[in-house]
Amino acid sequence: MQRKLLYLLLSLPFLLFAQKQPKVGLVLSGGGAKGFAHISVLKELEKAGVQIDYIGGTSMGAIVGGLYSAGYTASQIEKIISNANFIDLLQDKIPRSEKSYFEKTYAEKHAIALPIKKGNIALPLGLSKGQNVLNFLTQLLAPVDNINNFSKLPIPFYCIATNIENGKEVLLDKGSLPLALRASASFPSLLNPVELNGQLLVDGGVTNNFPVDIMQKKGVDIILGVNVQGELYKKENLTSVATLLSQIINFQMYRKADKQIEGVTVYMRPKIAEYSVIDFDKSEEILRQGEKTAKSFRNVFDSIAKLQKVKKKRPKVKLNKGKFLVDRIILTGNKHFTRNYILGKLQLKEGDSTSYKEISQKINTLTSTKNFERIDYHFEKSFSGKKLELKVKEDDLKSFLRLGVHYDLLYRSGVLVNYNQKKLLYGNDELSFDFVIGDKIRYDLQYFVDNGFLLSYGFASRYNSFSSEINFDSESVNKISVDYNDFTNRFYAQTTIDKKFAFGFGMEHKNVTASTETLTNTNGDDKSYFDESNYLNAIAFLKLDTFDKEQFPTKGFYADVNFTWYLWSDRNNRLDRLLEGSTIFSQFSQINGKVSFVSTFWDKFSFQNTSEIGLTLGEEETSVFDYRLGGYNQNYINNFSVMYGYDVAALSEQSFLRTEFNFRYQIYPKNYLNFIANYARIDNNIFLRGELLKNIKSGYAIGYGLETLVGPIEIRYSWSPNHDEKYWLFNLGFWF
C-alpha cells in the first residue's frame, strides 16, 4: 500500500498535464458507530477541494455516503449525528406523546413482551423493526425523494446488502434511497431484515463490507477508501459464545476486505479498533480519530484537487421545515386495516397541512400500534400541493405474551400475565387480557374496535379484590378487617382526538361485595356483609394524557373525569343478607375527576401538582360508594383514592376535595428523591355553607424512587399532624 501511494504521488505531476480530468470514487466501509470517522474524512476532502464523482458504501458507510450523495455537506452530517439519539433509533423508542391512547392506557405495565407465532412463543428477528431508522432517513432524504435511480443523485451512489436466504451480495442502486440505506445497515440481531424486491435483506457487511470491486466498474480513475471495520479477535479474547459467533461471522467479511484493499488508490484506516459498533455515545472521540487520519493525507488530497480543473457546483440541501398542503393520499398494502383506521391513527386527511417533521411523528403513532412491519412514504408534487404515497406492510404477528411483577402493601405480591391479540374479529380490533396471579387474584379484560376518525367502541370486564383493616362503616368499630370485591362489565363508545384526548359514554354492570368476619350477623353466616349487590349504571368519561412518561413524568398534563348514574340495584331485595341497619337503594349519581400537571426546572427538579374532586349528586343512602381516602396505591378502584399520612380508607364521606404537591429531584439518572404534601377536605357536602376550607386534613411524605426494567421501585415514609400514626409505603414494579 505504501508503494501504491508513492506511485500516485510521483504520477500526479504527469497527470496534471493530461487533458482528461480524473474521476474520483469514494468507498466507505461498514462499522456501526465507528463509521462516524467517515465524516471527518469528508470534511478534510472538502477543505482540500476534492470533488467526489461517485460514492459507494456499506452499512454505516452507506448511510454517511448516501447523505453526502444527496447533497448534505460533511458539517451538516456531523450535526445530524450529534443531535441524533442512535440508541432510541435502534430500539424503535417512540415518544409517549406519539403512542396511541390504547397503548398508553393498557400497555405500559409489562416488563417483557414475547411474540406468539403459530401457537408458540417466538423470539423477535432483531432488537427492533427499524421503523425509527427508516423514518429518520426518509425525513432527511426528503429533498431527493423523487429520485429513484441513484446515478441521478447529485453524486452517483450505490450500496450493498445481503440476501439472507442464499447469502449472496445484493447491489442497491435504484428504488427508494431511504429503504436501500435501511437494508444495507440491517445489522443482524439489532435490526430486522428488510424485504425488498422479493428478497429478504440484511447488512451488506456480511458479504461485502468494503465494496471497492463495485467502484472499479464505475469508470473512476482514483479510488479513495476509508475502512473502519474491526479486526478478528485474538485467542485470549475469545471468551464467550457471543465472541465465538462474531468471529465466525467475521471470517468471510475480513478475508474479502483484504482483497478489496488491493483495488484502492488511497487507503485510509482510522485507529479506532478499540471502539465497538454500538459506541454511539463516543462519537466525538471517533470523529477526532478520523480527523487525525485524514489530515495525514492532506498533501495527497491537495494534489488530487489540483487535477480537478472543472468543479461541479454542489447543490445545497435545505429541509423544508414549513407546512404544505396534502391534496391527495394514496394508500397501498393494507389488507385488514381500513383506510379510516390508518388515517385516523395518523390524524391526517386530504386537505390537511403538514410538514416533513410532523409526518415522521405521525408515522410513529402508526408504528406504536405494532400492527405494521414497515411503513414507507414519500411525497410528490401534485395539483395544488403534494401527494402522499403511503405503503404499509402489515405485521403477520397478531398475538403477544407480556409479563410483569408487582408488590405493594395492600395487594401484596402479584405476577401479571397479559395476552394481547390483534385482529380477533375485525382487522382493526384489539384484545388485552391481564391476569394477576398472587396473593389477590384479579383480572382486567379490554376489547376495543378502533375506527380511527369514526366512533370507536369497546367492552371491558374487570375483577378486583383486596383485604385491609379499614374503617368501612360509620356504625362499625374504628377498624375492621374488610374483604372488598368488585366485578365490573361495561360497553362503551369512544372518540379519540390526537392520541391525547378521549371521551365517551356507555352502560355498566357492577357487582360489589364488601364483607367482614369481625362483626356478627344474625343469620349465623361466617361473614357479615356491608353489601352484596348488583348495580346498573350509565357512564360518561373524559380523559387527557400528555405526560412524557408514565412513571416519574417531567412534563405534561393529565385529566380523568368520570360521571356515573346509578340507575338500578337489587340491593333492596338483599337487605336480609346485609348487616342490620343497612339502608335501601335509591337512584343517585357521582362525578369525580383528577387533573395533574408537571413541569421540570434546571433539568433535574420536577414539580407535579395533582388535584382531585368527588361529588355525590342526590342522597346516597348506602355508604358503599362513599369516597374513601388514605394510603398510596395507584391501582385503587371505584371511589378509593390516595391520601398520604393516612391509612387505606381512613377518611370517608360523600364528597371530597384533595390537592397534592409533589417535589421530585433527580439525584442520578433514573434515581429520584421526593417530598410530597397533600391536603384534603372530606364531608357530606364540601360546598355546604361555604365551608370549603374548614376542617382541612393534611399529610406529608418523603421518599426515594428508582426506574427499573420491571417498573418503579419506591419507598416512602408518611405522616400527618392530625394524628400520631406513621406509615411506611413500598411498591415494586408497574401498577396493575
Side-chain angles (χ1 to χ4, degrees), residues 132-150:
N132 272 7
V133 175
L134 183 57
N135 290 354
F136 178 68
L137 294 171
T138 302
Q139 185 179 344
L140 289 173
L141 295 168
V144 294
D145 64 0
N146 61 324
I147 298 176
N148 53 27
N149 185 335
F150 302 167

Side-chain angles (χ1 to χ4, degrees), residues 616-629:
T616 301
L617 310 177
E619 192 64 31
E620 178 203 354
E621 299 293 342
T622 172
S623 62
V624 172
F625 292 104
D626 278 359
Y627 294 102
R628 303 179 186 279
L629 275 61

Side-chain angles (χ1 to χ4, degrees), residues 200-264:
L200 193 63
L201 305 181
V202 298
D203 197 298
V206 176
T207 51
N208 195 348
N209 198 46
F210 194 34
V212 177
D213 54 339
I214 306 296
M215 186 62 76
Q216 289 175 312
K217 301 173 184 177
K218 299 300 181 181
V220 298
D221 303 294
I222 299 173
I223 298 178
L224 309 178
V226 187
N227 187 2
V228 297
Q229 68 186 22
E231 299 175 345
L232 292 173
Y233 291 107
K234 302 296 183 183
K235 62 181 181 180
E236 57 269 20
N237 295 324
L238 294 169
T239 57
S240 67
V241 173
T243 56
L244 285 173
L245 290 174
S246 177
Q247 187 86 326
I248 293 169
I249 292 171
N250 291 338
F251 280 149
Q252 179 182 351
M253 182 191 303
Y254 296 160
R255 186 180 298 117
K256 187 170 184 177
D258 292 338
K259 295 179 181 178
Q260 299 283 33
I261 292 170
E262 295 175 4
V264 176

Side-chain angles (χ1 to χ4, degrees), residues 254-367:
Y254 296 160
R255 186 180 298 117
K256 187 170 184 177
D258 292 338
K259 295 179 181 178
Q260 299 283 33
I261 292 170
E262 295 175 4
V264 176
T265 314
V266 179
Y267 179 66
M268 289 164 276
R269 186 172 178 83
K271 295 180 180 180
I272 49 177
E274 64 184 274
Y275 301 100
S276 76
V277 295
I278 57 173
D279 276 338
F280 297 105
D281 59 332
K282 298 178 181 177
S283 59
E284 291 185 8
E285 299 173 33
I286 296 171
L287 285 165
R288 282 197 298 271
Q289 290 299 323
E291 183 181 4
K292 287 180 182 178
T293 299
K295 283 184 179 298
S296 68
F297 287 85
R298 185 61 188 266
N299 290 336
V300 177
F301 296 164
D302 289 339
S303 299
I304 294 173
K306 289 177 182 178
L307 295 173
Q308 297 175 312
K309 299 296 184 181
V310 180
K311 305 286 188 182
K312 297 178 184 177
K313 188 176 181 180
R314 276 179 57 82
K316 291 184 178 180
V317 172
K318 187 176 181 181
L319 280 177
N320 181 3
K321 297 183 179 180
K323 291 193 174 185
F324 49 83
L325 178 70
V326 180
D327 62 1
R328 283 194 295 163
I329 300 175
I330 308 299
L331 174 64
T332 59
N334 56 315
K335 298 176 182 178
H336 299 94
F337 296 97
T338 65
R339 180 182 175 90
N340 272 329
Y341 172 85
I342 293 173
L343 298 186
K345 287 297 177 188
L346 292 174
Q347 292 291 300
L348 185 69
K349 302 190 296 288
E350 291 180 349
D352 285 353
S353 292
T354 190
S355 66
Y356 282 105
K357 183 176 181 180
E358 283 184 359
I359 196 69
S360 183
Q361 293 171 339
K362 292 176 184 292
I363 295 294
N364 278 344
T365 302
L366 198 57
T367 303

Side-chain angles (χ1 to χ4, degrees), residues 87 488 613:
I87 298 301
T488 299
I613 189 170

Side-chain angles (χ1 to χ4, degrees), residues 352-497:
D352 285 353
S353 292
T354 190
S355 66
Y356 282 105
K357 183 176 181 180
E358 283 184 359
I359 196 69
S360 183
Q361 293 171 339
K362 292 176 184 292
I363 295 294
N364 278 344
T365 302
L366 198 57
T367 303
S368 73
T369 65
K370 296 182 174 61
N371 290 324
F372 302 94
E373 186 176 317
R374 196 176 78 216
I375 304 161
D376 305 334
Y377 69 94
H378 75 275
F379 289 96
E380 291 184 1
K381 289 183 180 180
S382 188
F383 304 113
S384 56
K386 288 182 180 289
K387 174 181 69 173
L388 169 62
E389 292 192 359
L390 186 68
K391 183 178 180 180
V392 299
K393 179 176 173 55
E394 295 180 2
D395 200 327
D396 293 332
L397 285 174
K398 299 179 181 179
S399 308
F400 291 86
L401 180 69
R402 296 166 172 164
L403 303 173
V405 294
H406 184 80
Y407 178 85
D408 67 68
L409 299 177
L410 180 64
Y411 288 94
R412 303 292 177 178
S413 61
V415 175
L416 171 65
V417 180
N418 170 267
Y419 177 75
N420 182 261
Q421 171 79 54
K422 301 174 186 293
K423 294 178 273 191
L424 181 66
L425 301 176
Y426 306 97
N428 53 329
D429 68 2
E430 184 166 357
L431 171 75
S432 177
F433 180 68
D434 286 346
F435 185 72
V436 180
I437 305 166
D439 291 305
K440 289 297 177 182
I441 293 176
R442 51 197 190 275
Y443 79 82
D444 187 2
L445 181 148
Q446 300 288 336
Y447 175 75
F448 187 63
V449 180
D450 193 333
N451 290 319
F453 286 122
L454 305 178
L455 190 67
S456 304
Y457 57 91
F459 168 75
S461 179
R462 182 195 65 203
Y463 173 76
N464 195 305
S465 69
F466 62 83
S467 301
S468 183
E469 295 280 337
I470 60 177
N471 184 357
F472 194 82
D473 192 291
S474 58
E475 300 298 323
S476 66
V477 294
N478 232 3
K479 279 187 178 181
I480 56 175
S481 178
V482 174
D483 294 323
Y484 189 91
N485 299 272
D486 176 273
F487 175 55
T488 299
N489 301 285
R490 61 168 55 178
F491 289 93
Y492 63 94
Q494 174 181 301
T495 294
T496 305
I497 300 175

